[in-house]
Amino acid sequence: MSVTEMFADIQGFLSADQDIREDIRKVVQQLEQAAREILTLLQGVHQPTGFKEIPTKCAKAREMFCTVRTHMADLKTKFPAEQYYRFQEHWRFVLQRLAFLATFVGYLECEALVTREEAAKIIGIEVVREEGFHLGVEDYLAGVLIMASELSRLAVNSVTAGDYSRPLRISNFINELDSGFRLLNLKNDPLRKRYDGLKYDVKKIEEVVYDLSIRGLSKEPDNGSDK
């Protein structure tokens, strides 16, 4: 084979690779748009009247995840399954955002942490690497940490809306999250930096709870009261 033929083969490989990446980017853009729409919907819970609309907004968000699952199914067809990690960086960011949205919806619905399995099901992917497109542990944890930041904001806005018991419940939940993350030996630099942000979220929520306590507003509601 001549040098010219060798480089022609290389160009063919590069062109095919670029075509795959372009196809992936197009689907990822659709996923990013779907994620923005879900986030825009859920941002409404921060409004003074948003707490009363949480069940409705969560139900709507779950409907909108149908679009996410459709795009995910399409994305799986855009690259050879055995080359998953070669192209992973194209969708890693949006996957973490979707994990955040899935866990945030789950928290708003039942004030509990959605498992990785549950989050993956909402998104429309697997949890086991051998089964193909999956929600990795680090991407799931990144989504959980983004959710924690969102909850610190929700705690502040709860007070503005006159919901004085919610910040205490959020504080208990975030402290449990913090305790859980302390058990992990995080060697992933981006994830460790995100975890550093959790410490500020804990402090921010503690300040809200402390402010409520000195004003005598931090008592739990009576049995039968709405959350």
Side-chain angles (χ1 to χ4, degrees):
M1 181 182 291
S2 67
V3 171
T4 301
E5 291 172 333
M6 289 173 59
F7 275 84
D9 285 347
I10 291 173
Q11 180 56 47
F13 170 81
L14 293 175
S15 296
D17 182 79
Q18 290 170 357
D19 289 343
I20 291 175
R21 293 181 186 278
E22 182 59 28
D23 287 343
I24 291 173
R25 276 193 287 268
K26 289 178 180 177
V27 182
V28 168
Q29 287 175 351
Q30 294 175 318
L31 282 169
E32 289 172 342
Q33 178 61 33
R36 284 193 293 269
E37 291 174 358
I38 295 173
L39 179 59
T40 299
L41 170 72
L42 294 178
Q43 289 294 296
V45 303
H46 293 288
Q47 300 301 318
T49 60
F51 296 102
K52 296 178 181 179
E53 301 173 354
I54 284 178
T56 302
K57 290 186 180 298
C58 287
K60 179 61 177 177
R62 284 190 174 270
E63 290 179 8
M64 296 170 73
F65 265 106
C66 291
T67 301
V68 170
R69 291 191 287 272
T70 298
H71 292 321
M72 277 295 181
D74 187 28
L75 181 57
K76 296 174 187 177
T77 68
K78 301 303 181 182
F79 61 93
E82 67 275 9
Q83 297 183 26
Y84 179 90
Y85 289 103
R86 181 180 174 190
F87 302 107
Q88 184 183 23
E89 290 307 314
H90 285 287
W91 58 74
R92 166 156 271 174
F93 174 78
V94 71
L95 184 57
Q96 292 177 356
R97 297 294 293 179
L98 290 170
F100 146 59
L101 293 170
T103 54
F104 189 42
V105 169
Y107 177 84
L108 290 174
E109 289 176 334
C110 58
E111 297 192 356
L113 179 62
V114 168
T115 66
R116 183 162 66 105
E117 289 77 11
E118 291 169 334
K121 184 176 181 180
I122 293 172
I123 298 169
I125 54 180
E126 310 295 334
V127 292
V128 179
R129 179 171 54 186
E130 289 73 21
E131 294 180 359
F133 208 109
H134 60 281
L135 178 60
V137 172
E138 292 180 350
D139 292 332
Y140 166 71
L141 292 176
V144 170
L145 288 171
I146 299 172
M147 176 195 64
S149 295
E150 195 72 13
L151 290 181
S152 69
R153 180 185 171 203
L154 187 64
V156 174
N157 291 328
S158 297
V159 177
T160 303
D163 186 345
Y164 302 128
S165 64
R166 190 178 297 270
L168 181 58
R169 300 197 303 274
I170 291 176
S171 177
N172 292 336
F173 177 75
I174 293 296
N175 279 319
E176 288 183 16
L177 274 186
D178 184 45
S179 298
F181 273 95
R182 288 177 184 275
L183 298 175
L184 304 179
N185 181 18
L186 298 177
K187 295 183 179 180
N188 178 301
D189 287 339
L191 192 58
R192 189 168 60 245
K193 289 178 181 177
R194 282 192 181 278
Y195 170 62
D196 290 339
L198 179 61
K199 301 172 187 176
Y200 295 102
D201 294 328
V202 170
K203 182 178 179 181
K204 181 178 179 180
I205 298 171
E206 286 178 344
E207 289 174 350
V208 172
V209 173
Y210 175 73
D211 184 60
L212 289 173
S213 67
I214 62 176
R215 292 163 57 192
L217 299 173
S218 61
K219 295 180 181 180
E220 287 281 10
D222 296 333
N223 293 335
S225 297
D226 294 336
K227 291 184 177 180

